[in-house]
Amino acid sequence: MIDKEENGEAGRGRILIVDDDERNLLALSETLKSLAEVTCVSSGKEALRELLQDEFAVILLDVYMPEMDGYETAAIIRERKKTSQVPIIFLSAVNKETSHLMRGYEMGAVDYVFKPVDPVVLKTKVGVFVDLFETRQRMEEQAKLESSLREAHLREQLDRIAVERELERSERRQASILATLPMAIYESRSGKGRMERRFVGGDLGYFIGENAADVIAGVRRFDEWVHPEDLSSYETSEGDDSDAVTIEYRFVGPDGRKRHLLDQRIKLVGKDDDPQWVGTILDVTERRELEERLVHAGKLDALGQLTGGVAHDFNNLLAAMLGGINVLDRRLELGASEKRVIDQMRYAAEQGADLVKRMTAFARKQDLTPASIDPQELCDAVSGLADHALGDGVSTSWNCADTGLHIYADRNQLQLAIMNLVINARDAMPEGGKIDVSIDVADTTAEGDQRLRIVVSDTGHGMTEKVLKKVTEPFFTTKSAGKGTGLGLSMVAGFVDQSGGELQITSVVGKGTRVEILLPARLPSAEMDNSRRARELSWFKGRKIALVDDDEGVRIVLSEQLRDAGALVEEFERGTHIIEAVDEGRSYDVVISDFAMPGLNGMETLKSLQIAAPRMGKVLITGNIADERLSDLKDVLLVHKPIDPKALASACAKSLEIGVA
């Protein structure tokens, strides 16, 4: 086999020459190599192998060859789909008869060339087929290119349509989202006079309802509903030369609802350098209210911490004063004038103790004893007290129907809270009026808990919105000097919050005030309330009491009170001292220990005694309301200073029950 010629130009048609005579192959290839790349093979089998690998413009096929002649080779070429259309020119040195020619044409030949070959004729005939092949190739390439371009253009169109559709969907989603937000979007242009706003998006109806269409049409202006006190700053900002403007103002909508709006806009440069603005108006009412509540809570927390700190010292002083006054009153024979002085001293000390209790109430630090309270009994008890406090020009109405539920709260503090509200209502009606007090069933909470509603309403002068925001702050009062401490409503608010309830106050100037207290409620229980436990001082008679307190004044006065009640009292200054006494074998019915002491505090002292003498009663006394450790007491009863002897007797009795259990 003769190797392929490699001097053809890339991209041109190829010629396959099949002849068993190498001289003929050489002569033919030299003649035709200028037309196309020439491949020479010496047998039909080799020709078929080449046709499987490459594509040819024309085949020159010798008729007579050993093994497989030209006719057989041509027949196989025509049977194969890939090569069936390749032109075949037979080469023959003999057999010019018609029968042989017809057989060649039947085998698929397109022409005959007889040997010896005329180079010019051969090149002419072969050149036609090479040109046809190359022309067809160029047309196919052009068709492929055009098809590729059409597909690329089609893909580009489809991609553009997909992008446009996605953009449209995105714009619709964005418009839908903006339409549901409490905000409005506007454009404006600076000019002479006031800046005119054109609203282009958002939900303008959220702010002004049905009037949105008139504002969009330019019939009305948005600033018609800006709060009058904020209108000047709103208008001043229109001429701001900054690139970005942010203002906040109050807004009173057509429905009367008051909002805080945040107005932000940025400057854009339009045609002819004419400044244009794009801005948003956002409702920030909830954020402002939350900020105000946080500030208010911060004030209360700071004041609560201060209250907790000073209450401990005040309670120790008052405990010594009240205890000493009671001891002197019992032991001394006093004349009428001396008795008045003692009574005034006791009254002043009790007023001081009451003031501390009010301070601890608003600070949510007071010691509460919740119990089941019958609404009717509550009304009967408070109405009896209120009748003596109200003037002739004030009438009261009590509507406390049987709801089948009892209030669950501290009885004494609840009575005091209602009395505070009634007195406030009376003071709001200096020329007389009517106070309505009612108790009914409120809606259940989200957790399904039942509640009762206590309502105290009056027909007084009412409060402004500014006063209403501060009315529960401690020491805030609208009364003249000497007529109020400003702790009444703050105490009520603290008590309600600490009881797991809710306080709601509404007021209209000139029409009166309505205060609602929502408190937990439950079905009546047959169990006896702790407040009804026997608290007689006679309980102390014959009892062995160990009193531990580092404050000498409190220790002396309280021990004398207990001795007057018949108790056998032994005093200790430190927690370690009582522990040593118990270790030595001394026993007591009850150990009463102060909480705040150097070294071992009261909780640590009683914990140590729990191991050494588990059946011994243990009671903790304290003037401290702010220490969080007091909320973790277990099996230890707590009594706050100044000490109520009857409350102390009840706690001691109950501590013995715990010790036995």
Side-chain angles (χ1 to χ4, degrees):
M1 185 184 89
I2 298 177
D3 293 335
K4 298 178 182 179
E5 296 287 343
E6 297 181 355
N7 58 350
E9 297 181 12
R12 299 181 64 182
R14 301 178 63 192
I15 302 170
L16 178 61
I17 302 175
V18 187
D19 198 312
D20 60 332
D21 189 332
E22 291 188 3
R23 293 172 297 178
N24 290 337
L25 290 175
L26 179 61
L28 292 172
S29 63
E30 287 296 323
T31 301
L32 300 176
K33 67 180 182 180
S34 62
L35 297 178
E37 179 181 346
V38 178
T39 298
C40 297
V41 295
S42 58
S43 69
K45 290 182 178 180
E46 292 178 1
L48 295 175
R49 189 180 298 113
E50 290 292 333
L51 288 171
L52 289 175
Q53 297 176 0
D54 296 312
E55 189 175 5
F56 295 91
V58 62
I59 301 172
L60 273 67
L61 182 58
D62 186 24
V63 173
Y64 293 104
M65 293 183 296
E67 296 184 6
M68 181 184 296
D69 62 18
Y71 298 127
E72 294 173 334
T73 303
I76 295 174
I77 291 174
R78 287 290 175 259
E79 289 176 356
R80 294 178 178 175
K81 183 177 181 180
K82 182 179 178 181
T83 58
S84 60
Q85 301 300 320
V86 180
I88 298 175
I89 299 177
F90 276 123
L91 301 174
S92 178
V94 295
N95 294 331
K96 296 182 180 181
E97 293 87 352
T98 301
S99 60
H100 290 283
L101 296 177
M102 292 303 297
R103 183 184 178 190
Y105 289 126
E106 288 176 358
M107 292 295 104
V110 296
D111 202 351
Y112 263 91
V113 175
F114 295 98
K115 301 175 183 178
V117 175
D118 185 339
V120 176
V121 174
L122 181 63
K123 288 183 65 174
T124 300
K125 290 185 177 184
V126 172
V128 171
F129 293 112
V130 171
D131 290 342
L132 287 174
F133 176 84
E134 292 178 350
T135 300
R136 186 175 69 251
Q137 290 292 98
R138 286 193 298 271
M139 292 179 65
E140 289 178 356
E141 289 296 325
Q142 182 68 23
K144 289 180 181 179
L145 179 60
E146 291 177 355
S147 176
S148 177
L149 291 174
R150 284 196 299 270
E151 290 178 1
H153 180 67
L154 179 60
R155 284 195 298 271
E156 181 183 355
Q157 292 289 95
L158 293 175
D159 291 343
R160 182 177 61 80
I161 293 173
V163 170
E164 290 177 350
R165 288 178 177 174
E166 182 59 32
L167 179 60
E168 183 180 355
R169 284 194 295 268
S170 177
E171 290 175 347
R172 285 202 301 268
R173 286 196 301 269
Q174 184 179 16
S176 299
I177 293 172
L178 291 176
T180 59
L181 293 177
M183 67 180 299
I185 304 172
Y186 66 87
E187 295 176 347
S188 60
R189 185 186 301 272
S190 299
K192 295 181 179 179
R194 305 168 75 180
M195 181 181 292
E196 296 293 337
R197 301 187 180 193
R198 185 171 67 90
F199 288 89
V200 295
D203 184 11
L204 186 59
Y206 172 84
F207 301 96
I208 54 178
E210 297 178 353
N211 298 282
D214 293 338
V215 173
I216 294 174
V219 178
R220 303 186 67 176
R221 292 179 57 88
F222 182 77
D223 56 12
E224 292 180 22
W225 294 279
V226 174
H227 195 285
E229 296 179 6
D230 296 343
L231 192 57
S232 58
S233 60
Y234 175 87
E235 293 175 346
T236 302
S237 71
E238 300 287 14
D240 200 310
D241 294 330
S242 304
D243 291 334
V245 177
T246 299
I247 57 173
E248 191 171 326
Y249 47 84
R250 288 168 292 175
F251 188 85
V252 184
D255 57 356
R257 181 177 177 182
K258 299 176 183 178
R259 294 186 174 94
H260 288 271
L261 303 186
L262 181 66
D263 194 330
Q264 298 175 298
R265 65 176 182 268
I266 58 173
K267 183 185 293 185
L268 304 175
V269 178
K271 296 180 179 179
D272 303 325
D273 294 333
D274 186 13
Q276 295 180 350
W277 298 85
V278 176
T280 60
I281 298 174
L282 183 65
D283 185 356
V284 293
T285 305
E286 291 185 3
R287 190 189 75 184
R288 280 297 303 273
E289 291 176 349
L290 179 59
E291 290 174 352
E292 291 177 0
R293 287 198 296 270
L294 289 174
V295 171
H296 180 68
K299 292 180 181 178
L300 291 182
D301 185 63
L303 196 52
Q305 294 296 328
L306 176 62
T307 299
V310 301
H312 174 261
D313 296 331
F314 273 127
N315 282 332
N316 274 338
L317 294 173
L318 292 169
M321 291 172 60
L322 279 172
I325 290 170
N326 290 332
V327 169
L328 293 176
D329 191 23
R330 285 193 302 271
R331 293 185 179 182
L332 300 178
E333 293 291 336
L334 302 175
S337 59
E338 290 83 2
K339 184 71 172 175
R340 276 199 305 271
V341 173
I342 288 291
D343 289 342
Q344 286 299 319
M345 291 172 61
R346 181 186 292 110
Y347 177 76
E350 289 174 347
Q351 287 295 103
D354 183 64
L355 179 61
V356 172
K357 287 181 180 179
R358 288 171 177 263
M359 293 172 66
T360 58
F362 94 81
R364 285 71 165 168
K365 301 291 186 180
Q366 62 184 334
D367 186 25
L368 297 180
T369 306
S372 180
I373 306 171
D374 184 345
Q376 187 60 57
E377 291 181 5
L378 177 67
C379 287
D380 293 341
V382 179
S383 62
L385 296 172
D387 288 342
H388 299 288
L390 302 178
D392 296 334
V394 178
S395 63
T396 58
S397 172
W398 297 81
N399 181 17
C400 304
D402 184 9
T403 62
L405 295 172
H406 281 194
I407 300 170
Y408 188 69
D410 186 291
R411 182 185 301 272
N412 294 331
Q413 292 298 326
L414 180 56
Q415 290 180 358
L416 180 60
I418 297 176
M419 276 299 300
N420 266 300
L421 297 179
V422 171
I423 297 301
N424 282 348
R426 179 203 66 183
D427 294 342
M429 301 182 295
E431 299 178 358
K434 184 179 180 182
I435 301 174
D436 291 320
V437 182
S438 64
I439 300 179
D440 61 0
V441 179
D443 295 335
T444 57
T445 64
E447 293 77 19
D449 298 327
Q450 294 178 308
R451 298 191 298 181
L452 284 176
R453 179 193 296 109
I454 303 172
V455 180
V456 179
S457 60
D458 62 63
T459 57
H461 48 63
M463 293 178 283
T464 63
E465 182 180 353
K466 185 176 181 180
V467 172
L468 193 60
K469 287 183 177 180
K470 296 184 177 182
V471 73
T472 57
E473 293 184 3
F475 307 115
F476 175 81
T477 180
T478 58
K479 299 176 183 178
S480 57
K483 293 188 177 181
T485 62
L487 286 172
L489 273 176
S490 64
M491 183 275 290
V492 174
F495 160 70
V496 172
D497 181 72
Q498 194 174 355
S499 301
E502 184 179 348
L503 178 67
Q504 299 175 353
I505 305 176
T506 56
S507 186
V508 178
V509 176
K511 294 185 178 181
T513 301
R514 175 186 173 93
V515 181
E516 294 186 12
I517 298 176
L518 303 176
L519 289 173
R522 58 176 56 179
L523 294 173
S525 173
E527 297 180 1
M528 181 180 293
D529 294 336
N530 291 333
S531 61
R532 297 180 182 177
R533 286 181 172 273
R535 296 189 296 179
E536 298 299 328
L537 289 178
S538 59
W539 182 89
F540 285 112
K541 189 174 182 178
R543 304 284 184 179
K544 296 178 66 176
I545 305 295
L547 177 61
V548 189
D549 199 313
D550 65 304
D551 190 308
E552 184 178 7
V554 174
R555 191 173 67 248
I556 292 173
V557 171
L558 183 55
S559 63
E560 290 301 317
Q561 286 181 288
L562 295 176
R563 290 188 181 102
D564 286 351
L568 304 175
V569 182
E570 189 172 350
E571 302 174 31
F572 297 91
E573 187 179 358
R574 296 285 187 272
T576 53
H577 297 170
I578 178 63
I579 294 174
E580 291 172 358
V582 171
D583 289 342
E584 291 173 358
R586 280 183 274 182
S587 63
Y588 307 93
D589 293 314
V590 178
V591 176
I592 302 173
S593 176
D594 185 34
F595 169 66
M597 296 187 297
L600 290 179
N601 63 36
M603 291 177 62
E604 293 168 339
T605 299
L606 296 181
K607 186 176 180 180
S608 298
L609 292 175
Q610 178 65 26
I611 299 174
R615 291 181 173 271
M616 187 184 300
K618 302 166 188 66
V619 175
L620 193 67
I621 59 176
T622 182
N624 195 322
I625 62 170
D627 199 309
E628 295 181 353
R629 291 174 293 177
L630 294 173
S631 62
D632 297 330
L633 292 178
K634 292 182 179 179
D635 298 334
V636 176
L637 295 171
L638 180 67
V639 178
H640 285 278
K641 299 177 182 179
I643 301 297
D644 178 355
K646 291 184 178 181
L648 182 60
S650 176
C652 289
K654 189 174 181 181
S655 71
L656 285 179
E657 296 175 8
I658 294 174
V660 172

